[in-house]
Amino acid sequence: MKKLMIAALAATLMLGGSFAAMAQQAGKVGVVVKIGGIPWFNAMEAGIKERGQKLGIDAFMVGPTSADPALQVRAIEDLIAQGVKVIGVVPNDAKVLEPVLQKAKDAGIIVITHESPGQKGADWDFELASATGFGEAHAKLLAEKMGGKGEYAVFVGSLTVPLHNAWADAAIEYLKKNNPDMKLVGERYGVAEDVDKSRSTALDLISANPGLKGFLAFGSQGPIGAGRAIEERRKVGEIFVLGPFSPGQGQKLIKSDAISGGFMWNPKQAGEVFVTLADHLMKGNEIKDGDTIEGLGTVKPDFENRNIIVDQLVPINKDTVDDLAAMGL
């Protein structure tokens, strides 16, 4: 009997040890986004949690109270102190984050970024839309709405968000080349992650520029704020607002034509991809050309710049907005 008890105890200890090893191997995955509490990142958080549960990984999101790079640095420092296995980030300022991301890598933590191609300090960055394709798709639609002529303004999340500015570069270049009668007002305005700033900036621009006919707003709150400004000034049908936004948040604005349309990718899918890539890399797997990765499809990685870029654009318009909103987006 004593031998049986000892054997059972040993088996229990071995089993407990194996569970502990599995838990340690799975590790924690913390994803720091630009700002918490807005629909876009709420959807991303749902994707992170659902994929984490499916894969048996403790995956969670950290959403700062404002789009302040210093808050992201603080959140990443906290995750390093927690000893997570993977840190995911949607950067507000790629340059500001470089030292803290390198600190994470030096601590043996895998770093994955999104919306920041070529991010220094990241093991990999993934994108669900190419910068050129995304920018040009919006530019073509704006040209169509404006009849190829008139003044337009460009909003970005901030002047230090690389991807938003790459979209803007692609859009502006396309319009210069293909629609020379469309003129850019000013430079670009770093307000599109704040609905109030987007609204107030749009109101100021409308007042100062009687010939203004369009807004390209790259950042999920930009089209919402600009659309509200259009409604306030009763310029619906005269000034066209385009850009990526949360369908649930902008549903009424697009149905009233205060927002004329845009393109997006699925932020919930992006949340899932964060965890899928984390799982893949935590297991010691390399990412290879031609791999099929759930949420990304077949990939052709840019090994030099550590980017994985695919094009999965989803149009947002009156025909699609209800279905997209019903998905929780």
Side-chain angles (χ1 to χ4, degrees), residues 172-238:
I172 293 166
E173 184 61 31
Y174 177 88
L175 292 172
K176 279 183 181 177
K177 182 177 179 181
N178 295 281
N179 300 92
D181 291 331
M182 292 177 65
K183 305 297 182 183
L184 179 65
V185 171
E187 293 298 325
R188 61 191 71 170
Y189 302 86
V191 295
E193 290 296 354
D194 186 311
V195 69
D196 294 324
K197 289 180 181 178
S198 294
R199 172 188 159 276
S200 62
T201 303
L203 289 170
D204 290 343
L205 287 169
I206 292 168
S207 296
N209 301 277
L212 188 66
K213 296 296 181 185
F215 287 94
L216 280 178
F218 294 117
S220 66
Q221 300 303 293
I224 305 298
R228 290 177 182 173
I230 298 304
E231 284 191 327
E232 286 182 44
R233 290 296 171 87
R234 299 182 180 179
K235 294 289 186 179
V236 172
E238 298 177 34

Side-chain angles (χ1 to χ4, degrees), residues 14 23 41-43 48 58 76 85 112 133 170 181 209 220 248 269:
M14 288 176 64
F41 291 116
N42 291 343
I48 291 167
D58 183 1
I76 294 166
K85 296 294 183 183
I112 301 169
D181 291 331
N209 301 277
S220 66
Q269 181 181 343

Side-chain angles (χ1 to χ4, degrees), residues 99-160:
V100 73
L101 295 183
Q102 188 59 52
K103 181 178 178 180
K105 287 186 71 175
D106 291 344
I109 297 170
I110 297 165
V111 176
I112 301 169
T113 58
H114 176 52
E115 295 189 29
S116 193
Q119 174 69 55
K120 291 185 179 179
D123 291 281
W124 285 102
D125 177 88
F126 75 91
E127 306 298 333
L128 298 179
S130 68
T132 299
F134 198 72
E136 289 187 354
H138 282 91
K140 290 175 186 176
L141 188 56
L142 183 66
E144 178 186 320
K145 297 290 184 181
M146 290 177 56
K149 59 185 178 180
E151 296 177 345
Y152 71 98
V154 173
F155 291 177
V156 291
S158 84
L159 300 180
T160 56

Side-chain angles (χ1 to χ4, degrees), residues 14-39:
M14 288 176 64
L15 187 60
S18 66
F19 280 141
M22 288 171 64
Q24 185 177 15
Q25 184 181 19
K28 287 187 176 182
V29 177
V31 179
V32 180
V33 300
K34 293 180 180 181
I35 185 171
I38 66 174

